[in-house]
Amino acid sequence: MAQFIQFVLTRAAMAVMTLMIVSLIVFSLMELVPGSCAERYLAFKNTQGSQITIADIEAEERRLGLDRPFPERWVKWVYKVFVHGEFGESCILRLDINQLLADKFLISLGICLAALILSYAIALPIGIISASSKSAVANNTMRFVSYLGLALPNFLLALIIMLFATVWFGESLTGLYSKEYRDAAWNWAKFMDFLGHAWLPVFVLGWSATAFALQTVRALMLDEIGKLYVTAAAARGVLGAKLLWRYPAKHSLGPVVNSLGFDLNRIFNELPVIAMILTLTESGALLIESLARSNDQQLAGAIIFLLTASIVVMNFATDILLALIDPRVRRGLMG
Amino acid sequence: MKKYILSAFAVLAMPAAAYANCPGITVADMKGVKSGAYPQQYEVAEFEAAAGCKMSFSSNPDAASLNARIQGNPDLPPLADRIPQEPLVVVPYSSIGKYGGTLDALSNATEAGTSDFLSIRHVNLVRYSDDLQTIVPNVAKSWEWNSDYTKLTFHLRAGHKWSDGQPFTSADVKFWYDNLMMDTNVFEKPKDYALVGGERMTVDTPDATTVVFNLPAPKPGLLAHFATSYAQGFQPKHFLGQFHPGISADADAKAKALGFENGYAVIRAYYGSSDWTDTPSPMLNSPDKVAKMPGAAVPTLESHFVVSETTEGRHFVANPYFHMVDTSGQQLPYINEMDEIYANDHEVRLLKLINAEVDYKSQSLGLPDAPILLQNMEKGDYTVQIKPRISMPTVSFNVTSEDAGKRAIFGDLRFRKAMSIAMDRNAINETAYFGQGEARQYVGFSPVPSFVDSKWLTFATEHDPAGAKALLDEIGLVDQNGDGIRDLPGGAPFILNLQFAQQGLPGQVVELIAQSWNAVGIQSAVKEVTPDEYRSAQSSNQLDVGLWEKSQPLAIVLGNNELWVPPFENYFAHRTGMLWAEWVDSNGASGVEPPEYVKQLMNDINAFQSTPVGTPESNAIGARMVENMTSNLLFLGTVLSAGPIYHRNALKNVPEFMTESYEYYRTYPYRGAQWYLDE
C-alpha cells in the first residue's frame, strides 16, 4: 500500500512538472503572436475618438506589465494561474477570461469525454468480436465502416448532416441550446435541452474516434488471439466467449487505457473545426476565434493551457488505473 | 324643407362624429385622411383634426409582464402615465399590427455587425423619412433653425419618459453634451459631429421641453447628423448623473459601494465610453456586480430594452414607456421581444437565413449571396429585396506604415495608381456582382452630387496591367531574385497582407483584387479575420492594406467631416494615414505631417459645412474636395453595386427599401417599431 501511495505521489509531482513546462511553452507561443495585448486593448479607445499614439501603446504596455522581461512575466502568469486560478483579461473582448470560459470549458471537455466514451463503448465489444469472428461479411463490413470513419473528415460529416437537416427538416442543427435556455441558469430543463443539441457534435467527433479505436482494439486482439497461452487455454477446454474475455481481451485492454489521454487530445483537436461549423459557443469555438481570426493571445493561451491540463490529469488518472489493473506497471515504475 | 331638416341633423351629428374613434389608417389605405406636415406620421392634435376624431390609447396586454423583466423598474403605471402627453402617431405601412412575438436577429459578435438590428429599435431626435429626402420629427416634436444656421432649437414632448419611467427632459440632452461628450474623462476628444469647425457648441435649456444648440459657426448639416447617426443626443441624467462626479457629490462613494473604482468606472460600465449603444452592458462587462446595480443596462428611449446579455447574444423586451402609437391608438412597438444571436461565420449565417431562423437581415450580406438566398425564398417563406447601395468596397494603402520601406512605396502616388489600374473592375463586377454593378473610382460622395465632374468617376479605373507594370518598374519595385515577384528597392521581399472581414466587403472581391495584383508581380496574401481584429489592427497602424466599404451621401458629409480629415473615418469604418491623424490631433507635436492636399481637404470641409449647399461657392469647394480626394487615390474605388435585404414573410409592415445601406442608418427610415409578426 505504501508503495502505491508513493507511486501516486510521484506521478502527481510529475504531472505538476509537466503542467509547468506546458505553461512555459504556451506562454512562449503567446509571445510569438504579432501585436501585443496593449495594442488590442487600446484599439478600443479609438471608438472614443482618441488617436492611439506610440506613447499610448508604451504606457499601456507598462500598465499591463508587458515591458518586463519574459521570465518575470512567465513567473507572474504561472503564479496567478496556479495560485489564484486567474487567466487575466481577453485582449479583444475585454472580458475576464475566467468569467468568459466559466462553464464553456467544462462543456467542451464534456463533449469530448462523451465522444471518447461513446467510441470505446462501441469499439471495445465490436473490435473484440470482429477480431475473433471468421465471418467474411462481418469482417468486411466492419472494415468498410471503420475506413469510412477514418477517411471522411469530421467537418465534412458535420456539413453533410447539416445539409440533410436543412433540406429535409428546415433546421440547421446549430448551437448548443435552444434560444429559450441560452441565458437561463443551469437546471434540469436546460441540461436536457443541452443534451438534445450536444448529441450532434458528440456523434460527429465520436464517428472517427470510434473508427480509430476499432482498428486499435482489433489489431491488439489479433495480436493476442494467436498467442500460445490462448491456444493452451483452448486446449484445456476453455472455449467461446469465455476464452475471449478471460485471456486476450483482458490483455489488450492495457494499451487501450494507456492511450486514453492521447485519444482525448485527438478528439479535442477536432473540436474547434466542428464547433465552427455547428456554431457551438464553447471553448473550441473560442479557441479558433482567438487563435485564427482575432490573435487574442491571452484567451488562446488560457484555453490551450486548460486543455493540456485536462490531458495531463487524464494521463495521471489512467496511470493510476493501469497501476491498479496491472501490478507490473507499479513495480516497473518504482524500480 | 326636407333639405333643412337634414342639414340640421348633420350639424347636430357633427360633434358626435368628431369624437368617434379614430380610423386605423395605413400608408396603403389612408381612408381619405389627408397627410400631415410630415409623411406617414402625425402629432396627435394634427391627426385628430385631419381625421375628425378623438384618439384613445391602448397598451400591449403583456406590458406588465415585460416590464417585470427589466431590472430595477417599478410596477407599471397606467398607459396615460407612460406615454407622452403628445405621443407621436405613426401610420403603419399596410395594416394595423398585433402585439406579441419575438423578432429573431443575427449579428456577427457583441460589437460587430450589430448596427442593422440596432437600427430597428433605434430612435434619435429626428429621422429621415423613407424617401431619404425629408427629415421628420421623432423623439423631438419639432425644431427650428435661425436664419444663418447658428442656432438649432428642438422642442421635446411633454411627459416623455425613459424606459424606467423617469421623465425625459432637455436636461438629459444637456447632460449628454456637457457631462459626457465634452468630459475628457469619458471621451478623450469630442467627436466631430459634436463640434463645429473644431469648436464646441453650447446647449441651453430654457425649459424642460426646449433645447437650444448654439453653434460657433453655421453648420446646417447638424440636423442631418441627428437623423442618420447611431449616436443619440441624450442620456439619462437621473441615472448616469448619480455616478458622475460633476453632477453628484457622492458619485465616487456610490460607485465604491457597488465595487467600482470610481464614478466614471460605473459610467463606463453602462455607457461603454461610447456613443455606440451596443457596447457591452454591465450584464456582460461586470456580471459579478450587476445584481446590486440600479439597472442591468442604462435606461433607453428606444423601442426595446436589453434584459440579458452573454457572449452568445442579447435579449430585449418592449419598452413600456415608448413614445409612439399607431393610428388606432395602440402603443408601439408591436413586437414583444427581440432576440439577437451571434454567428461570425458567413456560411453559417447564410444557412440560418435559408432556414428562416432569422426575421430580418441585411448587414454583412452582399450581392454574391443573392442567388442562394433567392433560390430558397419560397421554401423558407421569406422575401429578398435587391436594392442599390451607397457605399462600395474600397482599397487603401497604409501611407503611414511603421515599415519605412512600405511607407515610401505606399506614399508614392504612382504605386497607388498602378494598383488601381492593375485591378480588373469589370471582372469583379462580372464574377462577384453578376454584371449588375458599376465600376467606379472613389470620389467621397455617393450618390454623386451635380458639382462632381464625371471624369473623376472613371479616373484610373481602366484595366491596364501593362501600364501598372511600367509604373511599378519606374518606382523601383522590380523582381530582384528572379522568382517572378517584385521586391522592395532594397532587395527585401515585398508582400501585401490583405486582412479583411466579411462585414466590410465580400471575400470574393478581395480574392479577385489579390489575383489581379499578383498578376502584375505584387505578392498579395488574403486572410479573413473578425471585424474586431480588423479594427484593432487598423487602430494600431498594423494593416498594409485597408479593405472596407466607403462613401457617404452629401447630407451626411454636411454634418460630419470624418471622410475628409485623417484618418478619413471612424473606428468602425475604413481609415488610412493613422499617423497623419496623430499629427492633426496633437497639433503637430507627434505623428507624421500630412501632405498639402490633405491640409487643403481639412480646410475645405470646414468651409463646405458652413456654406449653404447648392450655392456656387459651395459647389466650387465641393469640386475641389473631390479633385483632391480622387486624384490622390488615397482610396481606390471598385464596383458600386446593389445588395440583398432579407425578411421573413411573417414579418409585416416592412416596405420596399430605397437603398441597402448603412448611411441613413439602415432600417431607421422604415420604422421598425411598427413592424409586427403575424404567425
Side-chain angles (χ1 to χ4, degrees), chain A residues 174-187:
Chain A
T174 50
L176 278 176
Y177 322 99
S178 309
K179 72 178 181 205
E180 57 267 36
Y181 291 110
R182 199 186 62 214
D183 302 323
W186 279 103
N187 57 24

Side-chain angles (χ1 to χ4, degrees), chain A residues 39-40 43 45-48 53 94 100 104 162 166 172 174 179 182-183 279 281 289 292-294, chain B residues 104 111 186 188 191 273 308 311-312 339 341 344 348 351-352 355 357 530 533 542 571 575 582:
Chain A
E39 284 166 6
R40 280 161 221 297
K45 284 179 75 177
N46 247 222
T47 57
Q48 304 167 52
T53 63
R94 302 183 308 281
L100 189 66
K104 287 193 166 67
M162 277 169 79
T166 301
S172 60
T174 50
K179 72 178 181 205
R182 199 186 62 214
D183 302 323
T279 47
T281 49
E289 190 82 20
R293 301 213 289 177
S294 294
Chain B
D104 287 303
E111 290 175 81
V186 181
E188 281 195 14
K191 304 275 179 119
S273 293
S308 76
T311 46
E312 281 107 61
D339 196 72
I341 57 162
N344 225 334
V348 171
L351 197 62
K352 284 184 172 294
N355 283 330
E357 292 172 27
T530 62
E533 166 66 10
Q542 288 177 339
Y571 176 79
R575 295 174 292 170
E582 192 180 326

Side-chain angles (χ1 to χ4, degrees), chain A residues 67-290:
Chain A
D67 58 334
R68 312 302 303 162
F70 175 78
E72 186 183 328
R73 275 179 293 141
W74 176 60
V75 169
K76 272 192 182 154
W77 191 76
V78 165
Y79 179 78
K80 270 177 101 179
V81 169
F82 279 80
V83 178
H84 298 291
E86 276 172 15
F87 288 99
E89 245 179 58
S90 146
C91 302
I92 291 260
L93 298 165
R94 302 183 308 281
L95 296 172
D96 186 69
I97 290 179
N98 291 47
Q99 251 156 23
L100 189 66
L101 284 179
D103 48 3
K104 287 193 166 67
F105 188 76
L106 289 178
I107 288 174
S108 309
L109 203 61
I111 289 176
C112 291
L113 282 174
L116 188 70
I117 292 166
L118 176 77
S119 64
Y120 278 101
I122 298 172
L124 277 179
I126 296 191
I128 291 168
I129 291 164
S130 94
S132 59
S133 163
K134 304 237 162 19
S135 152
V137 179
N139 261 317
N140 287 334
T141 315
M142 196 228 62
R143 198 172 296 153
F144 177 73
V145 170
S146 71
Y147 283 154
L148 200 63
L150 291 176
L152 189 68
N154 277 343
F155 74 90
L156 200 62
L157 179 67
L159 278 178
I160 291 171
I161 294 176
M162 277 169 79
L163 205 63
F164 272 99
T166 301
V167 171
W168 280 316
F169 308 115
E171 154 92 65
S172 60
L173 293 183
T174 50
L176 278 176
Y177 322 99
S178 309
K179 72 178 181 205
E180 57 267 36
Y181 291 110
R182 199 186 62 214
D183 302 323
W186 279 103
N187 57 24
W188 183 248
K190 178 167 176 168
F191 183 66
M192 292 315 283
D193 179 70
F194 167 72
L195 289 187
H197 285 81
W199 69 266
L200 182 58
V202 169
F203 173 77
V204 171
L205 290 170
W207 174 267
S208 65
T210 305
F212 205 88
L214 255 178
Q215 292 289 338
T216 316
V217 172
R218 188 163 175 274
L220 288 168
M221 276 299 286
L222 284 176
D223 253 9
E224 291 291 327
I225 220 160
K227 285 197 174 158
L228 262 178
Y229 74 91
V230 183
T231 320
R236 269 185 271 114
V238 187
L239 285 172
K242 201 172 173 189
L243 170 74
L244 217 54
W245 289 116
R246 191 175 290 173
Y247 298 102
K250 201 173 168 191
H251 279 123
S252 18
L253 212 61
V256 169
V257 171
N258 222 350
S259 70
L260 281 179
F262 167 71
D263 282 343
L264 181 70
N265 184 26
R266 202 161 33 77
I267 292 174
F268 197 97
N269 286 345
E270 305 261 353
L271 183 62
V273 179
I274 304 300
M276 201 169 80
I277 290 167
L278 296 176
T279 47
L280 309 183
T281 49
E282 40 62 74
S283 57
L286 277 179
L287 180 62
I288 202 150
E289 190 82 20
S290 55

Side-chain angles (χ1 to χ4, degrees), chain B residues 222-234:
Chain B
L222 181 63
L223 188 67
H225 160 73
F226 284 122
T228 56
S229 177
Y230 58 78
Q232 296 167 329
F234 37 79

